[in-house]
Amino acid sequence: MNKTYAYNHNPIKFNFEQTIERFFVEEIPLFAFADKGSNLILKIKKSDMSTFKLITVIAKATQLEQRDIGYAGLKDKNATTIQYISIPKQYERDVVKNLTTEKIEILEKFYSKFPIKVGQLKGNNFSIILNHVTKEAREAIEQVAQKMVEKGIPNYYGYQRFGEDSKSYLQGKEIAHSGKKLKGAKEKLLVSAYQSYLFNEWLSERIKISKTIHKNSVEDASKILDYPLELVKVLAHQKQFFKLFIGDDMQSYPYGKSYPIQDFERACQEFTAQKYSPTGLLVGSKVKRALGDAKHLELPYDDNELYALKGDRRYAWIFPKELSFSYNEAEKQLTINFYLPKGAYATTFLEEICKSSLKPKSTRR
């Protein structure tokens, strides 16, 4: 999987390891809880435990079925995370009494009329400790990260999505093309890895196109891309890095309704104002495709045989927020804090800085 990076700086070196001591993430709920109702909302801090394992532990402590335990998003095992879980209110005593593992701490309790559903979160706050950061690297990281907050970043799926050998999408493709109904969470995960792979490939191609226009004269870009000169002139006239095409699906940011681009001026203004962002295809049975020129660019990454999942559209470009740093010069340790909307990967943000994969070497094959 060849990822094209959007920014032009030289790669910046640092040491990154996703561990419970160096990787912190906190879920930001979509809305405030009403504090009354038949559902107990638990704000839980956990470490060295996946969300699925957390749900298993809560099910055991309460004798609930796993399907009766609500969560908004999946959080990694190799991290210290804060997330929200919902259970029926009558199990409050059981969960408090029987949840005894040191890996889990209940920070706060709320009540709600409704259980938490997957996807019901605004985004996540991250705090990540980078090691072996020289003073020069620190300055470079801070400069680039600041620019990324101002201009935005590509919304690639992270390496975590594709399994230890980075090839789980191939199994997903096979399952999708078999035409059978999906069996269980694992098959669904594999097929969604194939969906994510197609999205990443499309996004990489669109960034390649944008870079070609950004770095070359209109005439040279026209030859390299084999596009009509007039089209390249229109694209080059767009001030933002990620170039928009007629028919691109522009969605209100960070959530909301979408429209296909007909008027470049309006779309570019809304994009640079961070009010709308273009979306890419997550292929499936009930999903809106792009139109016009954008559809032509989407077609190589579409798959009519993938109808086992509904499909969706995903922001191609996102805007990190709330960036801050603290630096320990003696330890050469830089802590970077930032917020990303739901579904975005912190490792994707960091990889845009260092311009290489942060996937642990021990799991590469």
Side-chain angles (χ1 to χ4, degrees), residues 16-54:
F16 166 82
E17 270 179 68
Q18 192 170 325
T19 64
I20 61 170
E21 297 86 14
R22 292 174 56 181
F23 195 101
F24 301 87
V25 54
E26 179 174 357
E27 241 175 33
I28 308 301
L30 190 57
F31 40 74
F33 301 109
D35 228 10
K36 59 183 177 185
S38 59
N39 294 277
L40 172 67
I41 309 292
L42 299 169
K43 183 180 182 182
I44 287 178
K45 184 178 183 180
K46 65 175 184 62
S47 55
D48 193 28
M49 183 181 283
S50 70
T51 300
F52 288 135
K53 178 67 177 169
L54 172 66

Side-chain angles (χ1 to χ4, degrees), residues 2 8 21 54 65 72 114 170 194 199 212 257 353 363:
N2 294 318
N8 284 329
E21 297 86 14
L54 172 66
E65 294 289 328
F114 308 102
L170 292 172
Y194 175 48
F199 174 88
T212 303
K257 291 183 177 174
I353 294 171
T363 58

Side-chain angles (χ1 to χ4, degrees), residues 138 142 324-328 333-337:
R138 172 212 172 173
E142 291 189 9
S324 67
F325 303 93
S326 63
Y327 185 58
N328 181 328
Q333 221 173 46
L334 179 69
T335 303
I336 180 167
N337 309 298

Side-chain angles (χ1 to χ4, degrees), residues 130-359:
L130 306 176
N131 282 346
H132 304 165
V133 179
T134 63
K135 269 173 77 175
E136 293 74 24
R138 172 212 172 173
E139 283 169 22
I141 290 167
E142 291 189 9
Q143 217 171 5
V144 170
Q146 195 58 57
K147 202 183 282 185
M148 283 158 57
V149 167
E150 286 163 25
K151 307 282 187 189
I153 58 168
N155 193 22
Y156 286 113
Y157 281 99
Y159 60 78
Q160 303 89 326
R161 189 79 168 182
F162 305 104
E164 285 205 5
D165 61 358
S166 303
K167 299 259 173 77
S168 64
Y169 72 91
L170 292 172
Q171 281 173 276
K173 183 179 182 179
E174 212 173 291
I175 294 163
H177 288 183
S178 72
K180 291 182 213 155
K181 204 173 177 189
L182 297 185
K183 280 185 275 177
K186 192 183 177 191
E187 286 199 350
K188 193 177 175 184
L189 209 63
L190 289 167
V191 173
S192 67
Y194 175 48
Q195 256 185 344
S196 307
Y197 167 79
L198 291 172
F199 174 88
N200 272 11
E201 291 290 295
W202 165 84
L203 182 53
S204 185
E205 182 57 30
R206 286 290 298 262
I207 289 166
K208 221 175 271 179
I209 292 165
S210 299
K211 275 192 119 161
T212 303
I213 292 163
H214 196 68
K215 288 192 335 193
N216 295 281
S217 68
V218 171
E219 292 75 18
D220 287 350
S222 170
K223 283 176 196 157
I224 294 163
L225 295 168
D226 197 19
Y227 284 1
L229 190 64
E230 285 311 306
L231 171 61
V232 177
K233 279 181 183 170
V234 170
L235 295 170
H237 186 68
Q238 296 178 18
K239 289 192 178 91
Q240 80 287 346
F241 167 78
F242 189 90
K243 304 304 177 194
L244 304 176
F245 284 77
I246 290 290
D248 258 327
D249 181 77
M250 289 293 281
Q251 188 175 334
S252 181
Y253 186 88
Y255 48 81
K257 291 183 177 174
S258 66
Y259 69 88
I261 292 179
Q262 291 174 306
D263 175 356
F264 275 135
E265 203 169 317
R266 172 195 164 186
C268 290
Q269 276 175 359
E270 290 176 336
F271 187 21
T272 49
Q274 303 185 9
K275 288 180 178 171
Y276 276 77
S277 184
T279 66
L281 179 67
L282 289 178
V283 68
S285 61
K286 294 179 182 175
V287 65
K288 188 166 59 167
R289 263 77 180 180
L291 303 173
D293 290 350
K295 183 174 185 172
H296 176 71
L297 294 171
E298 202 169 83
L299 272 174
Y301 311 99
D302 201 339
D303 186 341
N304 291 326
E305 288 184 59
L306 199 163
Y307 46 80
L309 296 175
K310 277 184 184 173
D312 203 352
R313 296 199 69 87
R314 174 180 170 89
Y315 289 115
W317 199 260
I318 54 165
F319 301 96
K321 287 183 174 174
E322 293 164 38
L323 180 70
S324 67
F325 303 93
S326 63
Y327 185 58
N328 181 328
E329 196 174 333
E331 298 285 333
K332 290 191 175 166
Q333 221 173 46
L334 179 69
T335 303
I336 180 167
N337 309 298
F338 54 94
Y339 165 88
L340 293 178
K342 71 172 182 179
Y345 287 75
T347 46
T348 293
F349 178 91
L350 295 175
E351 284 178 349
E352 189 64 52
I353 294 171
C354 67
K355 297 209 174 164
S356 63
S357 173
L358 292 173
K359 185 170 163 54

